[in-house]
Amino acid sequence: MTVTRTAEKWVDQAADLTRPSRVVWCDGSKAEYDGLIEDMLRDGTLLPLNSRTYPNCYLHRSHPSDVARTEQLTFICTRERDAAGPTNNWMAPAEAKDKAGAWFRGSMRDRTMYVIPYLMGPAGSSMSRVGLMVTDSAYVVASMHLMTRVGQVAIQHMRSEDDFVGGLHSLGDLSPDRRLILHFPEEKLIWSIGSGYGGNALLGKKCHALRIGSSQAREEGWLAEHMLILGVEDPGGEVTYLAAAMPSASGKTNLSMVISHLPGWRVWTVGDDIAWMHVDATGQLRAINPERGFFGVAPNTSPKTNPNATTMVRSNTIFTNVALTPTHEPWWEGLTPEAPPGLTDWLGEPWKPGTPAAHPNSRFTVSVEQCPSVAPNWEDPAGVPISGLIFGSRRTRTIPLVFEAFDWDHGVFLGSAMSTETTAAITGKVGVVRQDPMAMLPFCGYNMADYFAHWLATGRKIAKPPRLFRVNWFRRDDAGRFLWPGYSENVRILKWMVERIRGTGQAVESPIGYLPAAGALDVSGLDMPRGALDEALRVDAGEWREALDGLEGFYGQFGDRLPRTIVAQLAETRRRFAS
Ligand code: GTP
Ligand code: SPV
Ligand code: MN
């Protein structure tokens, strides 16, 4: 493999610091993947699964204290603290390198350092970007094989000597006390030590494609978002593409591969977690999926909730922290109504009822091609044209099932105002309501006030801006039951959005935006308790006033940096509730 001098030098420096016994350049080949799997089966990093029912599938058990992203240990290291903004953890670059450097020094002694050139985005796309990652974890290498495009294809995409995001990763000793996930957007550099898990360690994903990516996107005039991408095909065969931002473990993978029960309607999957979006020369917003695999939440994935996912993980999949049946099949809560007898839990112990069998943030890693609903054009170098954007979150109260923004600026305000209940995808308490603008709170690599301004400015560049929608599948009744059945029924919401985009969908105006008019949502054949739909769509003025008051404090931390448009939108919304 021939790489640039700068790339070679960067790898040499990484090796000087970490002192591996061996350096291996990865080519992304099947032989390489098979070799890694063999090594990991030998040393116990992977356990084989039932080769008859789950061919080429494996189970990885991570360190029990290393099972989710650790936001408190994640930092944006810009020269100026203000560049990172009040919502990010900040550390001065020199201090960060001093601190983590001490842990990296000699951390790969007696280990292999794998060098992974990877491409984020389809081959041949001007929107794709290159990363060069080193790691001492074979699990990370195999996962990068599934999640990104590894090898020569990446090197071919470098536009200049130093056109890559460098990623230095080591497992270290896996202690949370010596764990740091550091981002240096000014150097296009990532340092991650002490974790082998998901978004902490697969550096192409959240670290590169979102944190460094969002910062690069702002400089270069595009958007890097925590969004799925899907195509909705109508009975006439026309496909409308939408992208949707939802916080971690809040429904992106599920929505991206929904199987529709509405006759003639069909959903095509382009991506399930990240969208890179550019405005093309004609003023059209276009999106690519920078990834080529899914790192999806296992719990509650079942033939009922997500049949496509259940099918795609039946082969060539790496499972992490799921439970194991006596016949070596993976199992997690919700896969079947009853737990099968004789389960081994995610820690490798006999399962005790009342404790989690699979970890709540257990995952599957599988390539996009395995998805039965993958869009035929999912790797189109030009991306797909986006006609609508969705902001969704997990809220027990307040937020209606679906409504549409009045216009782009109002939609950006709705995205910036988004709050959600925390999930098991991050270490910490589950179910705590927090602000999570555009589902990017943990992923925006720069000051979020500037991020809102960038969104507003991007709208001005688009000839016909996409419609912006807000959704909430998670509103509950007083007894704690979900008001909306969700999952495959969400296609009914997508249908209304497509109709709104086409100008045929009916809506009524409310203080928060356009709500579906009575009868406008297709609920044919849907057996919902009486009044549940009305309740799901209800705008509660009292709850909203309270929420708008709460926003004041959140926005306040940005000071004068917060765009006036956002301030004005908040005032307008209050005024509409007052009148
Ligand atoms: P990340 O990979 O962490 O970014 O998550 P994600 O946004 O892709 O979430 P995913 O689709 O994996 O869903 C996470 C959890 O949300 C699943 O375990 C489901 O139980 C639940 N979920 C998804 N869609 C729905 C829905 O429509 N209704 C309800 N009630 N729950 C849902
Ligand atoms: C998320 O937490 O949003 C994920 C999983 O998609 S991770 O890759 O760990 O970030
Ligand atoms: Mn995610």
Side-chain angles (χ1 to χ4, degrees):
M1 212 172 318
T2 39
V3 293
T4 65
R5 293 267 318 259
T6 314
E8 228 159 51
K9 229 174 88 188
W10 186 81
V11 171
D12 286 347
Q13 281 170 356
D16 281 346
L17 178 62
T18 58
R19 297 272 152 206
S21 57
R22 192 165 76 109
V23 177
V24 173
W25 282 77
C26 299
D27 61 12
S29 64
K30 179 170 184 308
E32 181 173 273
Y33 182 80
D34 292 346
L36 287 161
I37 298 288
E38 239 169 74
D39 291 348
M40 287 190 281
L41 287 171
R42 211 174 303 116
D43 72 13
T45 304
L46 292 184
L47 297 173
L49 293 177
N50 189 315
S51 61
R52 198 172 47 79
T53 52
Y54 283 85
N56 296 313
C57 290
Y58 307 95
L59 168 63
H60 172 67
R61 293 194 183 116
S62 73
H63 191 279
S65 68
D66 187 29
V67 292
R69 283 184 295 104
T70 40
E71 295 184 356
Q72 73 282 10
L73 303 175
T74 302
F75 288 80
I76 302 296
C77 308
T78 44
R79 283 187 300 271
E80 304 290 331
R81 182 190 276 266
D82 267 359
T87 60
N88 277 312
N89 298 316
W90 176 84
M91 211 188 288
E95 184 194 343
K97 285 184 183 170
D98 258 16
K99 201 163 171 186
W103 305 334
F104 272 116
R105 198 157 301 126
S107 71
M108 296 191 191
R109 205 161 270 141
D110 303 322
R111 294 184 188 173
T112 299
M113 181 171 95
Y114 300 94
V115 184
I116 315 170
Y118 64 89
L119 181 68
M120 300 307 287
S125 174
S126 61
M127 298 181 228
S128 297
R129 294 289 182 271
V130 178
L132 185 62
M133 164 175 192
V134 302
T135 180
D136 54 6
S137 160
Y139 165 80
V140 167
V141 186
S143 301
M144 290 293 284
H145 264 246
L146 295 173
M147 297 299 297
T148 73
R149 296 158 179 91
V150 172
Q152 195 63 41
V153 64
I155 292 159
Q156 280 160 0
H157 261 261
M158 287 174 57
R159 297 166 297 182
S160 61
E161 261 294 299
D162 62 349
D163 183 28
F164 63 89
V165 172
L168 174 59
H169 174 255
S170 173
L171 295 172
D173 63 7
L174 288 178
S175 161
D177 297 334
R178 281 172 295 281
R179 178 180 304 162
L180 279 174
I181 324 297
L182 305 168
H183 305 76
F184 306 88
E186 288 144 352
E187 298 173 62
K188 287 195 289 165
L189 179 66
I190 303 154
W191 277 22
S192 167
I193 187 160
S195 168
Y197 194 81
N200 287 341
L202 314 179
L203 300 190
K205 200 172 179 56
K206 298 304 171 38
C207 300
H208 178 166
L210 289 179
R211 298 200 191 91
I212 302 290
S214 61
S215 162
Q216 199 173 11
R218 179 183 173 226
E219 281 164 28
E220 298 177 359
W222 46 282
L223 294 169
E225 299 300 326
H226 192 201
M227 286 181 169
L228 67 91
I229 309 165
L230 58 76
V232 189
E233 183 176 332
D234 69 11
E238 197 179 327
V239 183
T240 305
Y241 295 93
L242 308 169
M246 295 168 181
S248 304
S250 299
K252 289 183 302 302
T253 301
N254 277 272
L255 185 62
S256 75
M257 54 191 76
V258 148
I259 294 183
S260 160
H261 302 302
L262 289 179
W265 291 80
R266 179 168 187 164
V267 169
W268 295 101
T269 313
V270 178
D272 84 323
D273 198 48
I274 300 174
W276 281 358
M277 297 187 287
H278 290 238
V279 184
D280 74 11
T282 70
Q284 170 68 50
L285 187 67
R286 307 190 73 90
I288 58 163
N289 173 9
E291 305 188 278
R292 67 164 289 267
F294 306 121
F295 182 62
V297 176
N300 285 326
T301 304
S302 76
K304 257 185 115 160
T305 58
N306 192 345
N308 277 332
T310 326
T311 304
M312 77 187 177
V313 301
R314 288 303 290 254
S315 61
N316 308 315
T317 301
I318 299 177
F319 294 90
T320 302
N321 295 337
V322 297
L324 199 57
T325 71
T327 50
H328 297 273
E329 291 177 339
W331 192 85
W332 48 82
E333 279 74 4
L335 175 60
T336 52
E338 301 286 333
L343 275 181
T344 302
D345 71 12
W346 67 279
L347 293 159
E349 303 292 333
W351 174 59
K352 289 194 219 55
T355 66
H359 187 275
N361 191 39
S362 53
R363 299 256 170 180
F364 52 78
T365 311
V366 64
S367 67
V368 172
E369 282 98 346
Q370 297 248 138
C371 182
S373 58
V374 63
N377 57 339
W378 82 278
E379 289 191 286
D380 188 336
V384 295
I386 296 295
S387 307
L389 295 170
I390 303 168
F391 296 118
S393 73
R394 189 183 272 273
R395 287 301 310 271
T396 301
R397 301 166 48 177
T398 318
I399 309 298
L401 174 62
V402 60
F403 56 103
E404 184 190 338
F406 294 123
D407 55 27
W408 181 270
D409 286 2
H410 181 235
V412 173
F413 162 69
L414 291 176
S416 79
M418 200 158 86
S419 57
T420 199
E421 287 148 26
T422 52
T423 64
I426 49 170
T427 301
K429 236 181 134 203
V430 168
V432 180
V433 177
R434 68 173 191 184
Q435 293 300 132
D436 189 354
M438 280 94 164
M440 282 288 279
L441 179 79
F443 306 122
C444 185
Y446 60 102
N447 192 311
M448 269 204 139
D450 300 344
Y451 171 74
F452 301 150
H454 182 51
W455 261 86
L456 293 166
T458 301
R460 313 275 176 272
K461 294 200 305 191
I462 307 174
K464 190 168 169 266
R467 300 285 184 107
L468 274 66
F469 301 92
R470 180 77 173 83
V471 301
N472 177 25
W473 311 147
F474 300 92
R475 200 172 188 181
R476 295 176 195 248
D477 64 13
D478 291 336
R481 288 172 302 227
F482 290 117
L483 286 162
W484 174 250
Y487 298 105
S488 63
E489 308 303 353
N490 292 332
V491 77
R492 300 167 187 274
I493 310 293
L494 298 178
K495 180 184 174 193
W496 180 72
M497 291 173 178
V498 169
E499 288 165 352
R500 288 296 296 164
I501 289 163
R502 302 248 177 91
T504 57
Q506 296 304 303
V508 290
E509 205 173 320
S510 85
I512 59 171
Y514 298 115
L515 289 156
L521 277 184
D522 183 348
V523 288
S524 54
L526 192 59
D527 188 20
M528 272 178 86
R530 260 184 89 168
L533 185 63
D534 288 345
E535 184 57 22
L537 289 169
R538 192 171 62 87
V539 179
D540 185 302
E543 286 179 359
W544 269 90
R545 284 201 191 94
E546 207 179 299
L548 295 170
D549 290 348
L551 259 181
E552 196 114 321
F554 176 69
Y555 285 155
Q557 6 161 35
F558 299 105
D560 289 346
R561 219 158 164 147
L562 188 73
R564 281 161 184 273
T565 307
I566 299 292
V567 181
Q569 288 286 342
L570 174 59
E572 277 291 290
T573 308
R574 284 188 151 141
R575 196 188 46 73
R576 284 193 296 268
F577 272 110
S579 68

